Each structure stands twice: as C-alpha cells, then as structure tokens.
Amino acid sequence: MIRFQRQFDPRSIRLLVFDLDGTLIDSRLDLIHSINAMLRNFERPELPGELIATYVGDGAPALVRRALGDSPDEILFEAALEYFLSFSHK
C-alpha cells in the first residue's frame, strides 16, 4: 500500500487551539471559585469544592446545571451560565 503524506509547513498555522481539560493544567480550583461566585450572585448556597470537582468533565453548561441542582428554570440556567462564563474568563 502506498501512502502519500502532505508536507507540513509550520508557518501555515494561523490558529492553534488547546483543550485544557486537566491534562496540561489543573483548573479545578478556578472552576470551583467561578461556580461558587455564580451561586453567590444568584443567592444560592455555595457548594464544597470536592462536590463541584465531581461535576467537571462534560462542559460548562453541564457544570452549571449540576451546580444549580438540575433546576428546571431555564431562564435561571441561561443567566447563571452567562455569569459563570463571564466570571471564569476574567
């Protein structure tokens, strides 16, 4: 079988994206602080860091939804997600 490989030119790279899922950095503490800030903002009790850490791994929407106790209130969820994302990017 003949395989053809295209030459790689590193100068052609215009964008490089990393998925920082804990393999390169441990961002759990940042996520814990961001979730608890979001909960305080919506007058909800803070959660223990160990519990929040178990919610990590399926993306920001799932993390926020779990932290809110799987609330059926979609307006609250959308506002909380927006707050979480803006807080965690500061």
Side-chain angles (χ1 to χ4, degrees):
M1 178 164 112
I2 299 174
R3 292 177 82 175
F4 296 97
Q5 291 185 333
R6 187 171 59 170
Q7 284 293 108
F8 171 68
D9 180 7
R11 294 171 292 172
S12 67
I13 296 175
R14 294 186 296 169
L15 176 68
L16 185 61
V17 177
F18 280 97
D19 180 11
L20 301 176
D21 63 354
T23 54
L24 298 176
I25 63 168
D26 184 357
S27 58
R28 279 182 299 185
L29 192 54
D30 293 329
L31 294 171
I32 290 166
H33 289 308
S34 297
I35 284 293
N36 278 328
M38 178 270 300
L39 290 169
R40 283 191 308 271
N41 184 68
F42 290 94
E43 299 178 352
R44 300 257 176 148
E46 291 187 24
L47 297 173
E50 299 81 25
L51 179 61
I52 295 171
T54 68
Y55 296 162
V56 174
D58 295 317
L63 174 59
V64 169
R65 194 172 293 281
R66 290 170 182 152
L68 292 172
D70 290 321
S71 171
D73 185 341
E74 285 299 310
I75 294 172
L76 170 64
F77 167 70
E78 291 294 331
L81 179 60
E82 184 178 329
Y83 184 91
F84 169 78
L85 292 173
S86 68
F87 186 90
S88 63
H89 288 99
K90 287 182 180 180

